[in-house]
Amino acid sequence: MAMKANVGLIGLGTMGAALALNIAEKGFPIAVWNRTTSVIHAFKAGAGDLAAQITPAETLADLVAAIAAPRAIILMVPAGPAVDDMLAALSPILDADDLVIDAGNANFHDTNRRSAQGLPFRFMGIGVSGGEEGARHGPAIMAGGTAQDWARMAPVFHAIAARAEDGTPCADHMGEAGAGHFVKAVHNGIEYADMQMIAETYGVMRDSLGMSAPKIAPVFARWNEGTLRSYLVEISAAVAAATDPVKGGPLLDMIVDAAGQKGTGRWTAIEAQNLAAPIPVIEAAVMARNVSSRRGERAEGEALYGPAPQRAEVSLEDLEHALIAGKILCYAQGFAMMTAAAKDFGWALDMPAIARVWRAGCIIRSAMLNDMATALAEDPARNLMLAPFFAAHLRRSVPALRRVVAAGALSGLGLPALSSGLAWFDLMRTARGTANMIQGQRDFFGLHGFQRLDGLDQPHGPWAH
Ligand code: 6PG
């Protein structure tokens, strides 16, 4: 009889196939199943040297029979009802100590629900980041579930994950139930924000400085050698440098300016509102994607109001520092949101561990995450903008952010993420804010009451009758 597999995997789409090959390559025999049978055989046929590690199963029962008990089965099916359908199909054929791991981009509320619904087997939800390349050669893995199930799967996840420069695998246990998918959602929110802020700096270079895409590419490449070193800045240089294979000009100039989205950034923004956690840079990025898709209205707007009023002079150095500041402010908001969520959901989210997991493999991987992990280890609950290391960075870079945001405002160039970061920073550095006026208004029209600075008791203002 053939040797049983250590792991099963359901769903051989792009990400599932890449993850299965990664698992096989790291020495874990794997059994695979896909809804379309021809895909299963084509996958094994295309697996080259790794084919010997792969057992194709034509039915779910065959898949279950091919895995050594207690079984571990990874689901790589589209998030949503397809996951519930698979869990229902597996229910009658799995044992109580078998473990099903949803590795798709599930909404963490669904993962919480599935964890609590009394499935007749064990269940984990893991966030996997890094696209196809990551899944094949080393993703970042954010795991949610019991500590016991994490311990059981850690050898596999550690083996297949990306490694940070110090050799640590970028896979860790985030907490119970939906904690892994929650951290993945925040990752994606930050991904949206990072992408949007890079796009905004691209916009300044293109529209205010009149630079062509081939001139912009080396600027991103140079930034990628400094504080901004990151996967997203690196690929932005490559995107700006690419030539259109059809017409020969810069490809970037041919790409329609309407961004797609599958919704994870939006989930983060919605959840932040539920938690009353301010993440304006991420919210601005989600908003900007939504505005980008309204091409017709934008064209009408330009016809009605004319193009941006004037060109603004901004230095490339200021632009680089504005992006550094925006990035620090965005991550400060993201980590603060996770701190709020940990309290609200009763999860022991480990902030430095999250920063460490994001150092390699995932889409937002960047040099700065090392420093964030260090600052968060000093004091996990302290907002990153208050950490001495990042305060020193912000003192240097915020003046540049101000100049860039001001230039954008004066020249009619929308910079929603960068300007939201700046507005949040200014609110956060103002001890005496303006909500005293709001409290006065609330008391005036609704007798909601207010507190006095001197601590004296005054339930309502003189406007109350
Ligand atoms: C990752 C990515 C990935 C996401 C895509 C597309 O971490 O590998 O976040 O999970 O699905 O980046 O997301 P949008 O379609 O929402 O842009």
Side-chain angles (χ1 to χ4, degrees), residues 15-172:
M15 292 290 287
L19 203 65
L21 290 175
N22 186 357
I23 293 169
E25 188 178 67
K26 299 303 174 322
F28 302 99
I30 184 166
V32 296
W33 180 82
N34 194 76
R35 215 169 29 166
T36 315
T37 311
S38 59
V39 172
I40 308 170
H41 295 295
F43 172 70
K44 176 153 169 131
D49 292 351
L50 297 174
Q53 294 277 72
I54 295 165
T55 306
E58 292 202 357
T59 65
L60 280 179
D62 288 350
L63 178 84
V64 170
I67 310 166
R71 300 168 188 87
I73 299 179
I74 297 174
L75 292 187
M76 284 299 270
V77 299
V83 175
D84 291 307
D85 292 349
M86 274 325 308
L87 297 178
L90 288 167
S91 288
I93 54 175
L94 288 184
D95 296 330
D97 55 357
D98 290 338
L99 171 63
V100 176
I101 301 142
D102 176 13
N105 256 338
N107 184 317
F108 80 96
H109 287 297
D110 286 337
T111 307
N112 277 344
R113 169 180 57 79
R114 289 167 186 142
S115 302
Q117 78 185 46
L119 291 164
F121 44 75
R122 307 194 65 79
F123 181 70
M124 287 183 89
I126 66 165
V128 179
S129 175
E132 183 187 2
E133 179 69 13
R136 176 65 185 87
H137 297 293
I141 296 176
M142 294 143 258
T146 66
Q148 180 196 350
D149 289 332
W150 161 251
R152 182 166 148 192
M153 290 309 294
V156 178
F157 293 152
H158 282 157
I160 63 169
R163 276 167 199 279
E165 275 169 12
D166 65 6
T168 322
C170 290
D172 209 345

Side-chain angles (χ1 to χ4, degrees), residues 105 129-131 184 187-188 191-192 260-264 289 363:
N105 256 338
S129 175
K184 175 67 185 2
H187 164 286
N188 279 35
E191 172 184 309
Y192 278 40
Q261 57 181 313
K262 293 198 209 78
T264 41
R289 282 205 192 189
I363 302 294

Side-chain angles (χ1 to χ4, degrees), residues 303-322:
L304 187 59
Y305 294 104
Q310 65 187 65
R311 283 189 167 193
E313 280 314 310
V314 175
S315 74
L316 289 178
E317 201 193 344
D318 269 4
L319 214 47
E320 179 179 7
H321 281 96

Side-chain angles (χ1 to χ4, degrees), residues 21 111 119 125 191 194 243 278 297 337 345 391 418:
L21 290 175
T111 307
L119 291 164
E191 172 184 309
D194 268 346
T243 301
E297 272 174 279
M337 174 183 172
F345 302 138
L418 289 171

Side-chain angles (χ1 to χ4, degrees), residues 67 78 330 385 403 408 438:
I67 310 166
C330 163
M385 70 164 267
R403 287 190 288 273
I438 292 170

